[in-house]
């Protein structure tokens, strides 16, 4: 199936993102011999992704809508720097069909699906229609937006309570409301509509059957320009807090070869139905009887992509670059092998002992774990400041083990070794999940976190450990002061292979 030869897929790629995913993409590019252009906001001047890229250009002040969401500024940098392709990562402009179109119109390759697929899958109602027509099972519900409370009441009766009100243009769990009783429908409708308008600029909402205790299982798909579409197996993403993923693993503890084949085929059908290309994820909910339903399609690389990499041995980010440059898929469906088990834990700068409140501050001491089977995809270093401006996820800890139990034990060991002070994180929560008997037995669903943990207990059990960590940090600061050293300072950008000049040019450039 291989078509193109040669060592380099592109000469130069712009990474329209920051943090761990920008670092991830830069690394993939460098391993392929591709030069990289980073973009950054004023407060990210000295950040890791800027330091690692060959060139870096300032695009605006800290707020994302003045920098990382400024498609015009990013496109201008892409043209000035003469890049051949733009990788959007996840978040920010990655699912912005207009931006993808503008990039392509400028003669620059968009490392992602066609704008038409992004647009179609960006609307949950539109996506549901396309999937239903393609014969992919969807969660029972409406395919059109629901307008009046009377119409909603009628539809809800047909679907059957409990129902879930969802924002058609939604994401990040926003605009969702569970309604168990018809008397609560009208007010929930109003609330969901308001939230959707505020978050997505659209009041369009629709109804889905609320499935009790489902599992969230998603399939990684890849499509090339030659018309080949494959899946790379599933990821289990049921460990969620407020409908947002916290821990992901591959394979799913409940997967059977037969179910994988059926769900995988549906995922491939879903990708074909929307004219997909490059990397995408088809999300499903799976009920206790093993019935599965299409939930949505994410038209980009996912946060949790590393667990698929660890069990397939395929570098998904490099594959994205290769596919975008015209290469065909390196394997056929029957050649896919899943080896061992991988788990990812998302490390957020959130105080999990205080209701997961976002935490800002400077990382004073950082020593992530390492050793066999441990991988950390991080966007921060010791001395870095965690600001309020961006997503609180600062790093991902990923482990591989020969089987699920070894992977859990390894994650437990790695989280136990993790040392970070200056900011509070979700690490203590991860340690508790790894010890949880239901989690260890693979018996959980999307309501696991809310059901198994109450914050009082979380606090009591981790309190002792926190005290030890605080004493250790204080001792270290005292020790360093004694040696005449100051507390950790942010790293500064270092010139590499003559790239400093470009960085300076980029930084001086007025981008508005
Ligand atoms: P978003 O795009 O806002 O993240 P999703 O549609 O991807 O929303 O759903 C996120 C999570 O919300 C799912 O993983 C699941 O836990 C829950 N969820 C969504 N739809 C349903 C449903 N119909 N029934 C039960 N849970 C649901």
């Amino acid at each position: 199936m291989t078509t193109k030869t040669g060592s380099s897929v592109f000469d130069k790629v712009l990474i329209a993102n920051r943090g761990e995913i920008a670092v991830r993409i830069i690394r993939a590019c460098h391993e392929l011999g591709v030069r990289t252009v980073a973009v950054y906001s004023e407060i990210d001047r000295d950040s890791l992704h800027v330091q690692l890229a060959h060139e870096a250009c300032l695009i605006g002040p800290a707020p994302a809508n003045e920098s990382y969401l400024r498609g015009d500024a990013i496109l201008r940098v892409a043209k000035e720097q003469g890049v051949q392709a733009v990788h959007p990562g996840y978040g920010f402009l990655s699912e912005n069909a207009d931006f993808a179109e503008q990039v392509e119109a400028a003669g620059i390759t968009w490392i992602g699906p066609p704008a038409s697929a992004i647009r179609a899958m960006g609307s949950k109602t539109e996506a549901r229609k396309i999937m239903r027509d393609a014969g992919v099972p969807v969660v029972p519900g409406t395919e059109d937006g629901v307008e009046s409370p009377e119409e909603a009441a009628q539809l809800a009766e047909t679907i059957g309570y409990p129902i879930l009100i969802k924002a058609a243009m939604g994401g990040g769990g926003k605009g969702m409301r569970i309604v168990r009783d018809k008397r609560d429908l009208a007010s929930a409708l109003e609330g969901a509509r308001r939230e959707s308008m505020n978050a997505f600029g659209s009041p369009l909402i629709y109804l889905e059957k609320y499935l009790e205790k489902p599992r969230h299982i998603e399939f990684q798909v890849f499509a090339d320009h030659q018309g080949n579409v494959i899946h790379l197996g599933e990821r289990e993403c049921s460990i969620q807090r407020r409908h947002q993923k916290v821990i992901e693993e591959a394979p799913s503890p409940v997967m059977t070869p037969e179910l994988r084949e059926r769900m995988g085929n549906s995922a491939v059908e879903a990708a074909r139905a929307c004219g997909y290309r490059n990397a995408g994820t088809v999300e499903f909910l799976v009920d206790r009887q093993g019935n599965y339903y299409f939930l949505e399609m994410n038209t980009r690389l996912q946060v949790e992509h590393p667990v698929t990499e660890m069990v397939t041995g395929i570098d998904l980010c490099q594959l994205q670059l290769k596919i975008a440059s015209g290469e065909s898929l390196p394997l056929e469906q029957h050649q896919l092998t899943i080896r061992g088990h991988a788990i990812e834990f998302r490390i957020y700068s959130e105080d999990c002992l205080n209701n997961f409140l976002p935490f800002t501050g400077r990382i004073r001491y950082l020593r992530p774990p390492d050793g066999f089977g441990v991988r950390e995809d991080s966007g921060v270093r010791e001395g870095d400041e965690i600001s309020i401006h961006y997503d609180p996820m600062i790093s991902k800890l990923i482990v591989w083990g020969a089987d699920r139990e070894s992977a859990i034990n390894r994650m437990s060991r790695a989280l136990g070794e993790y040392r970070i002070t200056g900011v509070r994180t979700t690490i203590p929560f991860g340690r508790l999940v790894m010890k949880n008997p239901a989690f260890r037995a693979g018996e959980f669903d999307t309501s696991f976190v809310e059901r198994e943990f109450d914050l009082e207990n979380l606090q009591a059990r981790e309190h002792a450990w926190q005290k030890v960590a605080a004493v250790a940090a204080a001792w270290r600061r005292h020790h360093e002061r004694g040696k005449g050293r100051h507390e950790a300072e942010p790293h500064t950008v270092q010139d590499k292979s003559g790239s400093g000049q470009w960085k300076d040019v980029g930084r001086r450039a007025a981008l508005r």
Side-chain angles (χ1 to χ4, degrees):
M1 282 169 89
T2 309
T3 49
K4 204 171 161 179
T5 52
S7 58
S8 176
V9 287
F10 295 107
D11 293 328
K12 202 173 177 185
V13 167
L14 181 143
I15 296 94
N17 217 302
R18 67 178 301 284
E20 74 84 19
I21 193 60
V23 170
R24 168 76 190 91
I25 299 162
I26 290 166
R27 286 177 172 153
C29 286
H30 290 181
E31 286 168 13
L32 289 171
V34 176
R35 288 188 66 79
T36 48
V37 178
V39 290
Y40 62 92
S41 70
E42 277 159 10
I43 55 162
D44 276 346
R45 193 174 288 274
D46 296 319
S47 65
L48 184 59
H49 79 285
V50 171
Q51 188 179 58
L52 291 180
H54 290 119
E55 297 155 28
C57 300
L58 178 67
I59 46 167
N65 57 7
E66 294 178 52
S67 50
Y68 297 105
L69 289 172
R70 285 281 307 275
D72 57 338
I74 294 172
L75 195 54
R76 189 179 325 158
V77 170
K79 288 180 194 160
E80 280 170 8
Q81 300 294 327
V83 304
Q84 292 162 310
V86 168
H87 195 310
Y90 55 71
F92 295 131
L93 294 167
S94 62
E95 290 178 289
N96 185 315
D98 293 344
F99 181 59
E101 236 158 33
Q102 285 163 17
V103 168
E104 291 273 331
I108 298 169
T109 300
W110 171 255
I111 302 176
S116 56
I118 301 178
R119 203 164 272 132
M121 296 299 108
S123 156
K124 290 188 191 233
T125 43
E126 182 66 21
R128 284 164 62 80
K129 267 185 219 149
I130 293 172
M131 295 310 151
R132 188 203 51 199
D133 292 348
V136 176
V138 297
V139 181
T142 65
E143 261 92 51
D144 290 313
V146 177
E147 296 288 338
S148 68
E150 295 75 32
E151 188 191 358
Q154 213 167 39
L155 289 165
E157 287 301 332
T158 320
I159 299 165
Y161 287 90
I163 58 141
L164 186 63
I165 305 175
K166 288 174 98 168
M169 307 308 290
K174 289 203 187 84
M176 275 196 230
R177 293 276 196 293
I178 303 167
V179 185
R180 296 187 180 275
D181 189 314
K182 61 180 173 193
R183 283 170 298 189
D184 302 329
L185 184 65
S187 65
L189 213 58
E190 196 43 49
R193 199 171 268 141
R194 211 177 318 115
E195 199 170 312
S196 175
M197 189 65 207
N198 288 342
F200 314 110
S202 155
L204 198 66
I205 50 103
Y206 71 103
L207 309 183
E208 267 181 21
K209 171 91 189 152
Y210 180 70
L211 303 178
E212 299 280 5
K213 302 194 166 104
R215 294 181 88 111
H216 174 124
I217 299 178
E218 60 185 32
F219 273 72
Q220 176 71 54
V221 292
F222 251 99
D224 63 19
H225 286 76
Q226 292 72 14
N228 305 300
V229 188
I230 58 166
H231 73 80
L232 297 178
E234 79 283 359
R235 292 185 285 260
E236 165 75 63
C237 307
S238 301
I239 307 296
Q240 306 181 348
R241 198 180 74 85
R242 296 195 180 150
H243 302 306
Q244 296 303 295
K245 301 160 191 167
V246 186
I247 296 174
E248 302 95 347
E249 55 184 302
S252 163
V254 293
M255 194 49 69
T256 61
E258 185 270 328
L259 184 59
R260 181 177 290 134
E261 190 173 335
R262 282 198 295 130
M263 289 182 76
N265 285 343
S266 288
V268 166
E269 278 311 309
R272 285 194 192 282
C274 63
Y276 208 77
R277 258 199 325 270
N278 217 295
T281 296
V282 185
E283 298 187 335
F284 296 101
L285 290 182
V286 182
D287 69 18
R288 276 177 289 180
Q289 288 71 45
N291 302 308
Y292 63 90
Y293 306 94
F294 171 83
L295 187 61
E296 66 164 348
M297 182 165 187
N298 290 134
T299 52
R300 53 171 163 81
L301 196 62
Q302 299 271 96
V303 174
E304 57 271 25
H305 77 274
V307 292
T308 300
E309 298 184 320
M310 303 305 275
V311 296
T312 60
I314 299 169
D315 185 316
L316 299 193
C317 197
Q318 287 191 4
L319 189 54
Q320 281 195 295
L321 288 148
K322 290 176 183 174
I323 298 288
S325 77
E327 286 190 25
S328 54
L329 284 166
L331 75 164
E332 292 178 23
Q333 191 62 64
H334 68 92
Q335 293 171 308
L336 176 72
T337 47
I338 310 275
R339 202 173 143 265
H341 201 94
I343 305 177
E344 174 183 279
F345 179 71
R346 299 184 184 201
I347 299 175
Y348 288 94
S349 58
E350 287 175 347
D351 186 358
C352 67
L353 305 181
N354 189 12
N355 213 10
F356 291 82
L357 274 186
F359 200 94
T360 56
R362 190 173 295 281
I363 300 175
R364 300 206 177 276
Y365 177 70
L366 179 64
R367 192 191 182 286
D370 48 22
F372 179 56
V374 177
R375 159 180 174 181
E376 205 201 19
D377 280 20
S378 175
V380 295
R381 297 150 302 178
E382 189 169 283
D384 281 356
E385 182 87 28
I386 308 299
S387 87
I388 50 158
H389 292 288
Y390 310 115
D391 192 274
M393 195 189 78
I394 53 174
S395 167
K396 303 178 315 205
L397 185 63
I398 304 117
V399 298
W400 180 89
D403 52 34
R404 187 166 186 270
E405 191 183 356
S406 323
I408 294 174
N409 291 342
R410 184 160 287 149
M411 179 62 91
S412 209
R413 184 274 287 174
L415 286 169
E417 282 179 17
Y418 212 114
R419 293 292 177 268
I420 179 166
T421 63
V423 292
R424 302 221 172 115
T425 70
T426 48
I427 293 170
F429 174 66
R431 294 196 190 107
L432 291 178
V433 176
M434 293 305 131
K435 285 186 219 150
N436 180 282
F439 176 74
R440 294 189 73 95
E443 287 160 8
F444 52 80
D445 54 66
T446 55
S447 52
F448 167 84
V449 171
E450 275 81 13
R451 194 174 51 241
E452 292 285 325
F453 296 98
D454 82 81
L455 294 173
E456 289 302 308
N457 279 341
L458 208 58
Q459 205 141 14
R461 294 180 59 183
E462 277 298 314
H463 205 60
W465 183 87
Q466 285 239 324
K467 271 193 185 151
V468 173
V471 170
W475 178 85
R476 186 174 179 275
R477 279 201 295 277
H478 174 76
H479 183 68
E480 287 185 348
R481 243 180 262 132
K483 286 198 288 192
R485 251 196 284 160
H486 296 295
E487 287 176 354
E489 284 174 23
H491 291 212
T492 48
V493 179
Q494 289 160 11
D495 287 355
K496 279 209 204 76
S497 60
S499 62
Q501 188 196 350
W502 277 114
K503 282 178 180 168
D504 287 337
V505 168
R507 282 178 187 167
R508 280 196 297 270
L511 292 165
R512 276 172 186 270

